[in-house]
C-alpha cells in the first residue's frame, strides 16, 4: 500500500493523496507520520487502560503535543526528524508500559516493535487511515484526530509561554485511545467529536490567556506592508515566543524583522511595539511564498506551518525551522532546556544578504480581538440598532492555492456595504488589502488575529448575544462563511459547533474525510453547508 492522506482541503481529487501529497509530502514522510500517530494512540491506550493521569506525565504530555503538531499539514517534511520522533515516542511508550505493568488487553499500538526506517515503513503501511475499514467509523475517527492535532498546536504555543491545562492532555489521551476502540458506536464517536470541540474552546482560551497575559491585549494597529533598506529576517508561522526571542536578539544589530502570513497579527500586541526593527509584514498567505521568498532576499524562520517546499536551492539555503516545523536540508534551531533559542546563525546570514525588494506598499489595519472590540462595543451596538450594520460575516479560517478560493475575494467585494467581516487566520489575505471602506469609523474588515483568535470572534458573538439579550447565539445577525485548509481549522469548526453555532458554511470544498453519512449528520444536526456561487450565497445569507 502506498501512502494515503486526506487530512487537508487540498486532498488530491477531493478524495486523498496516494502517490505524493499535493502539499509536497512524500510517501515516506506520510507513512512515518502515520506510524507516529499510531504510536501516540498506543501511548494513549496505556494511559487510559492503566488509569494514569496527565498531571503525572509531564514529559509524555509535551512529547505527544509536539508529535501531533509535527503531523499537521505543511509543518514538517523532514523524514529524519519524524523518524527520530517515532523512536522517541516508542521509547516513552515502552517506559510507560513498564511502569503500568500488569495492565491487560493492550492494543497492538501499545506494544508493537520496529527496527530501522525500513521496519517503520513496513509497519506504517498497515496502520494508516485506511486500516479502519468502515468508512463512517474511519471518517469520525479521523475528524477527532484532526481536531486533536489542531488542539495540540494551540496547546503547544501556550506551553511555550508556560501555560498548561492538564484536562486538555487527559482528553487528548482519551480521544486518541478511543480511535482504537472497535466497541464504540458511531453515536459514541459523534459525542466524542463534540467533546473535542469543547476542548477546542478550552485550548484557544488557554492560548488567548497565555498570549495576552504576556504580550498585552491586541489593539487597533496600522501595519506597514512596504519595506525599509536594511537587511532583514522574515518570520512565519504562529509562535509568538519565537518572535519575541528573535526581536530580542536582533535589536540593535541593524537587521530588521518582518512578519509573514499568520505572524502578521503579532504587530497588534503592545509588547512588540517597542522594537524599532520590527518593521512590517511582507507578502501574503502561505501559498504565495514561492515567489515572495525569492524577492525577500533574506533568511526566513518558520516557527510552524505552512511551509511550501522551496523550488530553488538558493531559497532553501535561507530557510530555517524551529519547534514542530522542519524541512530536509534546512537548519533546524532547537531550544535549550530553558526554552531559549539561539538565532545568531540566522542573524549573521541576514547581514550578508540584501534588503527585501518591495512588492507592496502602504498599510493594513488589524487588532480587533475581544478586548479591543469590547472597547468599541457601544459604537458597534449603536450601528446595529440604527441599521447602519445589517449583518456580520465571520470569514475566519485558512487560505489556500485552489483557484476556487477566488470566491472569498469576490464574496467580500460584493457583500452589501452595510455588512462587516469578522476574520481571523490566513483566510484574511483574500480581502484584507481591498478598500472595503468603513461604517461610521468601524472598518468593514475586522481582523482579530491568527486562526486561534477565532476564539475572540466567539467571545464577540457571545458578548453581542448578552447585549441584545438574546437566548440563542443563532438569533444574532451573524453569518458564518468559513474557509478551511488544515487541521487547526477543524478544531476551530468543532469549537464553534460546541458553542452552539448553527448553519456554518464551509468551503471551498467540504472535507474529503467526511463520509456521506457523517456529512449528513453534520448537515442535519448543525446545518453545515458548502458554498455555491457568490451571488446566490450573498442572497441566501442576506435572507433575500
Ligand atoms: Fe494531501 Fe493534504 Fe495530506 Fe498533503 S496534507 S498529503 S495535500 S491531504
Ligand atoms: Fe493558515 Fe497554514 Fe490555516 Fe493558522 S498558515 S491558518 S493555513
Amino acid at each position: 500500500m502506498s501512502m494515503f492522506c486526506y487530512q487537508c482541503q487540498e486532498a488530491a481529487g477531493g478524495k486523498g493523496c496516494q502517490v505524493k501529497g499535493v502539499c509536497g509530502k512524500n510517501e515516506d514522510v506520510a507513512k512515518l507520520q502515520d506510524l507516529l500517530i499510531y504510536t501516540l494512540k498506543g501511548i494513549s491506550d496505556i494511559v487510559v487502560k492503566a488509569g494514569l493521569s496527565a498531571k503525572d506525565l509531564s514529559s509524555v504530555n509535551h512529547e505527544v503535543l509536539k508529535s501531533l503538531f509535527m503531523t499537521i499539514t505543511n509543518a514538517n517534511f523532514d523524514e529524519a526528524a519524524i523518524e527520530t520522533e517515532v523512536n522517541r515516542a516508542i521509547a516513552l511508550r515502552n517506559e510507560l508500559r513498564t511502569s503500568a505493568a500488569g495492565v491487560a488487553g493492550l492494543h497492538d499500538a501499545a506494544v508493537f516493535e520496529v527496527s530501522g526506517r525500513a521496519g517503520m515503513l513496513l509497519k506504517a503501511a498497515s496502520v494508516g487511515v485506511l486500516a479502519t475499514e468502515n468508512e463512517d467509523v474511519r471518517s469520525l475517527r479521523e475528524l477527532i484526530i484532526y481536531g486533536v492535532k489542531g488542539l495540540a498546536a494551540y496547546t503547544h504555543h501556550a506551553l511555550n509561554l508556560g501555560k498548561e491545562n492538564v484536562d486538555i492532555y487527559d482528553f487528548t489521551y482519551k480521544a486518541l485511545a478511543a480511535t482504537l476502540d472497535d466497541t464504540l458506536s458511531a453515536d459514541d464517536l459523534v459525542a466524542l467529536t463534540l467533546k473535542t470541540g469543547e476542548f477546542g474552546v478550552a485550548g484557544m482560551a488557554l492560548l488567548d490567556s497565555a498570549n495576552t497575559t504576556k504580550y498585552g491585549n491586541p489593539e487597533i494597529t496600522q501595519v506597514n506592508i512596504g519595506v525599509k533598506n536594511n537587511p532583514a529576517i522574515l518570520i512565519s508561522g504562529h509562535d509568538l515566543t519565537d518572535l519575541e526571542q528573535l526581536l530580542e536578539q536582533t535589536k540593535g544589530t541593524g537587521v530588521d524583522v518582518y512578519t509573514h502570513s499568520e505572524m502578521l497579527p503579532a504587530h497588534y500586541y503592545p509588547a512588540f511595539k517597542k522594537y524599532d526593527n520590527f518593521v512590517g509584514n511582507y507578502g501574503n498567505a502561505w501559498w504565495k511564498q514561492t515567489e515572495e521568498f525569492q524577492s525577500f532576499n533574506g533568511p526566513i524562520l518558520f516557527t510552524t506551518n505552512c511551509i511550501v517546499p522551496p523550488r530553488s536551492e538558493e531559497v532553501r539555503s535561507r530557510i530555517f525551522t524551529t519547534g514542530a516545523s522542519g524541512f530536509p536540508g534546512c537548519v533546524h534551531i532547537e531550544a535549550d532546556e530553558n526554552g531559549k533559542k539561539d538565532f545568531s546563525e540566522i542573524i549573521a546570514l541576514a547581514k550578508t544578504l540584501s534588503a527585501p525588494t518591495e512588492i507592496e506598499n502602504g498599510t493594513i489595519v488589524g487588532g480587533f480581538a475581544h478586548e479591543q472590540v469590547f472597547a468599541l462595543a457601544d459604537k458597534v451596538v449603536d450601528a446595529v440598532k440604527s441599521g447602519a450594520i445589517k449583518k456580520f460575516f465571520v470569514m475566519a479560517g485558512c487560505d489556500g492555492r485552489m483557484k476556487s478560493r477566488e470566491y472569498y475575494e469576490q464574496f467580500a467585494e460584493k457583500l452589501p456595504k452595510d455588512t462587516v467581516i469578522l476574520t481571523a487566520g490566513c483566510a484574511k489575505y483574500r480581502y484584507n488589502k481591498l478598500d472595503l471602506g468603513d461604517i461610521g469609523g468601524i472598518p468593514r474588515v475586522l481582523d482579530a488575529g491568527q486562526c486561534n483568535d477565532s476564539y475572540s470572534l466567539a467571545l464577540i458573538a457571545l458578548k453581542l448575544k448578552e447585549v441584545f439579550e438574546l437566548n440563542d447565539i443563532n438569533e444574532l445577525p451573524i453569518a458564518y462563511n468559513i474557509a478551511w485548509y488544515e487541521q487547526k481549522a477543524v478544531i476551530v469548526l468543532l469549537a464553534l459547533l460546541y458553542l452552539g453555532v448553527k448553519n456554518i458554511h464551509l468551503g471551498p470544498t467540504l472535507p474529503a474525510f467526511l463520509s456521506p453519512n457523517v456529512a449528513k449528520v453534520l448537515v442535519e444536526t448543525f446545518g453545515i453547508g458548502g458554498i455555491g456561487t457568490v451571488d446566490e450565497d450573498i442572497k441566501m445569507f442576506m435572507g433575500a
Side-chain angles (χ1 to χ4, degrees):
M1 177 67 205
S2 54
M3 67 177 278
F4 182 84
C5 178
Y6 64 175
Q7 68 175 354
C8 86
Q9 188 272 325
E10 293 185 357
K15 296 206 155 25
C17 298
Q18 304 196 46
V19 182
K20 188 176 192 244
V22 172
C23 58
K25 178 160 92 175
N26 69 31
E27 184 175 337
D28 285 3
V29 171
K31 286 185 168 171
L32 291 169
Q33 290 184 347
D34 284 349
L35 190 63
L36 184 53
I37 293 292
Y38 189 63
T39 314
L40 303 182
K41 291 179 188 176
I43 289 176
S44 305
D45 191 52
I46 300 168
V47 170
V48 170
K49 286 182 179 154
L52 304 176
S53 166
K55 69 178 179 347
D56 307 319
L57 298 172
S58 178
S59 56
V60 183
N61 300 337
H62 300 168
E63 210 60 44
V64 168
L65 279 192
K66 185 174 177 203
S67 298
L68 285 165
F69 201 170
M70 286 174 86
T71 70
I72 280 190
T73 302
N74 293 342
N76 202 313
F77 295 84
D78 187 353
E79 285 139 66
I82 300 162
E83 182 179 341
T84 304
E85 196 64 21
V86 173
N87 281 324
R88 242 187 238 156
I90 290 179
L92 277 174
R93 184 203 65 178
N94 291 354
E95 272 174 38
L96 208 55
R97 207 178 55 221
T98 313
S99 64
V103 179
L106 288 177
H107 191 278
D108 171 68
V111 296
F112 78 89
E113 287 297 338
V114 284
S115 107
R117 172 87 63 96
M120 284 186 188
L121 294 175
L122 197 66
K123 180 71 183 172
S126 63
V127 302
V129 171
L130 298 178
T132 302
E133 278 168 21
N134 180 303
E135 71 163 353
D136 298 327
V137 175
R138 185 196 305 149
S139 175
L140 288 164
R141 285 179 175 178
E142 294 305 315
L143 178 56
I144 291 164
I145 291 170
Y146 304 153
V148 164
K149 287 187 185 191
L151 174 59
Y154 294 154
T155 312
H156 194 261
H157 293 303
L159 175 64
N160 288 345
L161 284 159
K163 295 267 191 218
E164 293 187 84
N165 172 349
V166 287
D167 294 347
I168 294 178
Y169 303 145
D170 277 321
F171 173 76
T172 299
Y173 295 124
K174 187 177 160 215
L176 288 175
T179 66
L180 293 173
D181 186 349
D182 291 329
T183 67
L184 295 180
S185 66
D187 283 349
D188 294 333
L189 292 171
V190 169
L192 191 59
T193 306
L194 272 194
K195 203 72 189 154
T196 310
E198 180 180 343
F199 281 93
V201 176
M204 286 192 276
L206 179 74
L207 179 52
D208 180 83
S209 131
N211 283 338
T212 55
T213 306
K214 180 99 192 265
Y215 304 121
N217 276 299
E219 51 194 27
I220 301 178
T221 307
Q222 296 284 342
V223 181
N224 167 39
I225 56 171
V227 299
K228 286 191 176 173
N229 293 329
N230 301 321
I233 297 168
L234 190 60
I235 180 168
S236 191
H238 303 69
D239 198 280
L240 297 185
T241 45
D242 289 335
L243 172 69
E244 183 187 15
Q245 295 193 45
L246 184 65
L247 289 171
E248 274 301 312
Q249 292 176 39
T250 50
K251 72 179 179 197
T253 62
V255 173
D256 287 340
V257 172
Y258 294 77
T259 53
H260 171 253
S261 194
E262 274 286 74
M263 200 55 92
L264 156 68
H267 292 278
Y268 312 156
Y269 288 88
F272 299 127
K273 294 187 174 168
K274 62 175 185 269
Y275 297 98
D276 297 336
N277 64 327
F278 191 36
V279 298
N281 187 71
Y282 191 85
N284 292 278
W286 64 273
W287 61 277
K288 290 196 172 167
Q289 66 187 248
T290 312
E291 287 74 36
E292 293 173 351
F293 286 0
Q294 196 77 46
S295 59
F296 183 74
N297 304 326
I300 299 121
L301 172 62
F302 272 102
T303 65
T304 68
N305 55 330
C306 274
I307 301 173
V308 177
R311 284 202 205 120
S312 80
E313 205 35 62
E314 190 280 317
V315 171
R316 184 199 296 231
S317 72
R318 290 192 269 123
I319 294 180
F320 295 75
T321 61
T322 189
S325 69
F327 197 85
C330 296
V331 174
H332 184 80
I333 314 247
E334 287 285 0
D336 68 14
E337 60 282 3
N338 300 313
K340 294 279 164 289
K341 294 180 180 176
D342 178 1
F343 295 132
S344 53
E345 187 179 346
I346 313 181
I347 299 166
L349 176 63
K351 288 179 178 169
T352 68
L353 298 168
S354 314
T357 307
E358 185 160 282
I359 51 173
E360 294 171 299
N361 56 56
T363 60
I364 47 178
V365 68
F368 298 91
H370 50 87
E371 292 311 301
Q372 179 65 82
V373 175
F374 293 171
L376 295 171
D378 289 347
K379 218 171 167 181
V380 173
V381 169
D382 286 349
V384 174
K385 283 189 176 153
S386 73
I389 296 178
K390 284 258 156 40
K391 204 154 206 162
F392 296 93
F393 282 82
V394 170
M395 291 177 71
C398 311
D399 197 9
R401 61 202 129 193
M402 272 190 178
K403 188 148 174 51
S404 53
R405 287 186 188 258
E406 286 170 3
Y407 165 97
Y408 294 102
E409 177 175 344
Q410 292 162 10
F411 188 90
E413 269 180 323
K414 286 190 169 183
L415 271 176
K417 300 278 172 273
D418 52 9
T419 60
V420 169
I421 294 171
L422 303 175
T423 193
C426 66
K428 64 172 132 302
Y429 285 97
R430 288 282 168 176
Y431 41 78
N432 68 345
K433 292 170 186 171
L434 302 175
D435 184 11
L436 296 179
D438 64 85
I439 299 176
I442 303 166
R444 288 198 49 235
V445 178
L446 301 182
D447 177 24
Q450 298 180 337
C451 47
N452 46 287
D453 295 309
S454 299
Y455 174 69
S456 261
L457 304 182
L459 289 190
I460 292 164
L462 291 168
K463 179 81 175 175
L464 288 174
K465 176 184 153 221
E466 183 191 310
V467 173
F468 289 106
E469 297 177 350
L470 301 172
N471 296 322
D472 183 342
I473 202 167
N474 296 297
E475 290 168 22
L476 285 165
I478 305 182
Y480 293 79
N481 195 6
I482 288 180
W484 83 284
Y485 172 60
E486 35 77 325
Q487 299 76 53
K488 296 185 210 175
V490 175
I491 194 63
V492 170
L493 174 73
L494 296 180
L496 290 175
L497 296 183
Y498 167 73
L499 290 172
V501 176
K502 296 246 165 35
N503 304 320
I504 296 173
H505 287 255
L506 201 60
T509 54
L510 289 180
F513 56 82
L514 294 183
S515 68
N517 285 330
V518 171
K520 198 163 160 253
V521 171
L522 292 180
V523 171
E524 285 170 1
T525 321
F526 303 105
I528 297 261
I531 58 169
T533 67
V534 170
D535 292 327
E536 281 168 13
D537 287 358
I538 289 179
K539 251 197 219 157
M540 175 269 300
F541 281 120
M542 297 304 291

